[in-house]
Amino acid sequence: MLRTHTCGELNMAHAGQNVILTGWVQRSRDLGGMTFVDLRDRYGITQLVFNMETHAALCDQARKLGREFVILVEGKVSERSNKNAKMATGDIEITVEKLDILNESKTPPFTIEDNTDGGDELRMKYRYLDLRRNAVKRNMELRHRLAFQTRNYMDSLNFIEVETPVLIKSTPEGARDYVVPSRVNPGEFYALPQSPQTFKQLLMVAGFDRYFQIVKCFRDEDLRADRQPEFTQIDCEMSFVTQEDIFDTFEGLVVHLFKTVKNVDVVKLPRMTWADAMKYYGSDKPDTRFGMQFVELTDIVKGKEFKVFDDAELVVGINAGGCAEYTRKQLDELTDFVKKPQVGAGGLIYLRYAADGTLKSSVDKFYSPEELKKWAEAFDAKPGDLILVLAGKANKTRKALNDLRLEMGSRLGLRNPETFSPLWVYDFPLLEWDEDSQRFYAMHHPFTSPKPEDIALLDTDPGAVRANAYDMVINGVEVGGGSIRIHNKPLQHKMLQLLGFSEEDAQAQFGFLMNAFEFGAPPHGGIAFGFDRLCSLFGGSESIRDYIAFPKNNAARDVMIDSPSRISDDQLKELSLKVSI
Amino acid sequence: MLRTHTCGELNMAHAGQNVILTGWVQRSRDLGGMTFVDLRDRYGITQLVFNMETHAALCDQARKLGREFVILVEGKVSERSNKNAKMATGDIEITVEKLDILNESKTPPFTIEDNTDGGDELRMKYRYLDLRRNAVKRNMELRHRLAFQTRNYMDSLNFIEVETPVLIKSTPEGARDYVVPSRVNPGEFYALPQSPQTFKQLLMVAGFDRYFQIVKCFRDEDLRADRQPEFTQIDCEMSFVTQEDIFDTFEGLVVHLFKTVKNVDVVKLPRMTWADAMKYYGSDKPDTRFGMQFVELTDIVKGKEFKVFDDAELVVGINAGGCAEYTRKQLDELTDFVKKPQVGAGGLIYLRYAADGTLKSSVDKFYSPEELKKWAEAFDAKPGDLILVLAGKANKTRKALNDLRLEMGSRLGLRNPETFSPLWVYDFPLLEWDEDSQRFYAMHHPFTSPKPEDIALLDTDPGAVRANAYDMVINGVEVGGGSIRIHNKPLQHKMLQLLGFSEEDAQAQFGFLMNAFEFGAPPHGGIAFGFDRLCSLFGGSESIRDYIAFPKNNAARDVMIDSPSRISDDQLKELSLKVSI
């Protein structure tokens, strides 16, 4: 190595040693007789000192160093007179005897600091400079650590990582595929995988009983803020298992990751049925860092001439503990919040349980104090609490109250990103009815098995069938989902029929999987974790983009390399394609 | 788990225990009173016994089990009367008390045995059954182990694994790209990476000083037997390094892999310049498991009226030690071998050094015994040796003699796949002249730096410039290659000029990299290993396909899933494309 040490490791134990360091000029200060330069590399920052009295020429050279110049210095480790306890290397500095400029730098378009002056677009265009910033660099290190520890854990349990192909076959079910024209098979296309689902099931048929893979997947969607055209999954599958085995194995994984990467102790994961999650949180991914569970009031509030409640399918609320002193203005803000189109409630009813024990609501003219007392009892409220109630169509109201609950959690500081509350949500419905197309869709995917006790309902009431499907949810984020799969051909066949596949389509798209099921498919199931999402959760951020080295923007463009781009006519011709805009 | 144990772990220590096993029926033998079934899973085979006397119904059921049925059995571990020392579980058998058929199986299209009766095509179509065979399964386990230990080693040296994007930008230099049409940017395409080369260099600019990635790469080539459209690399890059640091770090990697995966001790890797490799082996990837180095005779054989030698640019041979007794027939075979079009020599001259010390050659009428003595001395030959000589144009003759040397090595059993002889070949030429297009191509790639002492030659004699480029070669196979990169813009610019890039093309294709070099690029270099090839080498096989779970055939087709395939007109329309055959 050109260097003897990194910029992050020197301390008083090295005092007096001659060392060679390499790195980037973070900043320099010219104090007349002395010039100080902060030298940065991946590991830290070390202060360099150039002395005008003893090394005038060298000091002159140092004064001309610009930000982000790449230099090599040789010198002696000395104790600082002015120590900096905040820096790992803050006790020492290097008295420089020799300076080589390895490369110059133009002035970077934004500052390479934790709080940079660069906007999003500029930082994406110069992502290689953005990655020099501490915060972004640490995200990449966290991502590496999580992948590495995932592999350690999986290997220790005899899982083997198998690479499944990237050039596969287009299947219209689910999101849109990215396709790849084949030159040697004109008019034909590969597709990039949305997940290795069918391949991992084939690996179970092949007898590999414990498979995993950290793998890139692709989805040609109209992008939202937190979606990327290419994303990474921790993809896992096991044979000869029950749902219980999946829970054990993969809560073991997150316990291992929290311990080894964050030094956080997580205990056994609680479990919640999908029905309970919807009933008590209005969401299939409840944020359980705080309580504030839903309480339904429908039965006790009807028939008091309050039309809003009388007309409502559901009246449901939460108890915002300790918020009885909320001002008019704060309550108006909450009302505005629930009325936003994204939330969609008609209005907000509140009930204050004052510290002196009196009850005061926004519907006092319809409900007597005795009646309001019943509300308070339903919520198990105590003096000082504030009850917030929504009413309307059941599903829509639950969704709105979920938004309000999360908003209250945020306002009350109950959603600390360094607190982690993982759980399993299970017993999802098998099918989801789509009003637009008047057909059922698989809630998870077409390979998910129904619960054995619900199979009879497939013919009579398909929407009521529960699946052997589960999600792992942490802090209100779905980090992983999976199911016990169907492993015999007749049931798989029936499922595809229910989903509206014609015989031909089913054979064309999944024929190889159904054929495989005829040659001794074992019972199997698995799970896939969204790795980008998991990284952002561990990093305490909302944005997965911060955890991807070279992300694309919301128009699916890489602005750094300017891609996608046109290709040559020769390339198009070789591929037997014409662009037709 | 549905099972209590695997089929590979039970032995006498478990005798008397009640166990539950799951797996596939490998074979069954009906001996009247007893029926024996071999049950197989990923971990091994265990013998099951069904007793007609005590469990008649069960035994009847067992007799109906077909090959590859998936079953669950419960029973007692018993000592075998007839032990099988070749099997890990050969001391015991399971006396079955309960049998569940978890899934039936049609008769598989080929036998699931080490020596199967299935042809290549059939096994590819039913790859999920082929993967059940021991040999193929072990290859996947080897692959997992190699990837896992690679990551362990790299992590221990502070390398971080960074995922680079798969949807990138097409660059005409090098092989053909696979491209991906963008729906949201009509008429524009992404390309799949042939390697993460530019991205890993950007990571160095970003300060990540030690990067690696085990990553899928793509090349749209007309396939040869050992090529796949998608393949896997161990891609690595370091900053602030010399070539020496790269050698140290990555011979450390292969030493670690040989030790942990094969329990083979490899010592420090020998090094050979490219010039020496060509001179002594006629190949830039010499198989150094055996000697038989080239000896040039040009100077001592000319002027004796033997036209073949007099007209030759090069006369060069090898000493096949101990082969003096080769028969006429064997020598004719070798002559036929070198005359094959793929080898391309005009003929073969030999010199026998008989055990009694006499010298006998195929050109005795031109050369006296004294002159032949000089040949023998040049080869340091001893009685019993056979010298084989080729003559002609230098490059062509070296290539042909390389083929002959490898053939002799094989004939003499000197190329044992369980012997490993790794080495570094270095100081490759920077450029390669292409007669067809009358231009230089980068021998490695356009980012490879010339040796500083040869930079002056770039203007006067570009073909003579040596590069800071190196290959790791094991047993005649190039398993990895890399270089110290160019890290400043003017030199990179000059290099692209030499390679015939116009200003516009250079800017359009590599502009983002050259721009990045203006913001403080550190000196850096790296290497990439062909992971599929490395796996096959460790496994002792010539075919990389055996080490890929779901490979494509020579027409770039996946015959199992029948891909590539047509896509719908709607899909084409959304992508603004028309097929034009």
Side-chain angles (χ1 to χ4, degrees), chain B residues 412-475:
Chain B
L412 296 171
L414 303 172
R415 302 179 71 194
N416 176 358
E418 288 299 317
T419 301
F420 297 98
S421 179
L423 78 155
W424 290 107
V425 177
Y426 66 106
D427 278 4
F428 274 74
L430 182 68
L431 301 165
E432 209 169 13
W433 180 256
D434 183 60
E435 280 298 331
D436 291 344
S437 55
Q438 289 285 306
R439 53 164 278 205
F440 281 111
Y441 280 87
M443 189 135 178
H444 189 54
H445 56 51
F447 314 110
T448 297
S449 66
K451 289 188 88 72
E453 60 268 38
D454 290 1
I455 284 185
L457 292 171
L458 278 174
D459 295 316
T460 55
D461 185 6
V465 176
R466 291 167 304 161
N468 288 316
Y470 33 79
D471 278 355
M472 187 188 285
V473 174
I474 307 182
N475 295 4

Side-chain angles (χ1 to χ4, degrees), chain A residues 1 163 190 232 245 519 556, chain B residues 1 132 163 190 232 245 519 556:
Chain A
M1 302 290 293
E163 294 174 57
Y190 304 97
T232 303
D245 298 313
F519 291 100
Chain B
M1 303 289 295
R132 286 186 191 164
E163 293 174 58
Y190 304 97
T232 303
D245 298 314
F519 291 100

Side-chain angles (χ1 to χ4, degrees), chain A residues 174-239:
Chain A
R176 254 186 231 96
D177 287 319
Y178 280 106
V179 298
V180 180
S182 166
R183 179 179 55 86
V184 295
N185 303 280
E188 298 192 331
F189 294 75
Y190 304 97
L192 303 182
Q194 296 181 28
S195 85
Q197 182 64 34
T198 48
F199 287 95
K200 71 174 172 177
Q201 293 194 247
L202 289 175
L203 285 171
M204 294 305 109
V205 176
F208 278 84
D209 94 354
R210 290 176 170 224
Y211 145 90
F212 84 104
Q213 189 184 188
I214 302 185
V215 60
K216 273 279 174 77
C217 300
F218 305 86
R219 224 176 265 164
D220 181 11
E221 286 179 307
D222 297 313
L223 299 180
R224 298 198 309 250
D226 61 343
R227 285 278 174 92
Q228 286 281 317
E230 49 182 298
F231 55 97
T232 303
Q233 286 192 348
I234 306 174
D235 192 49
C236 310
E237 197 80 5
M238 304 172 78
S239 291

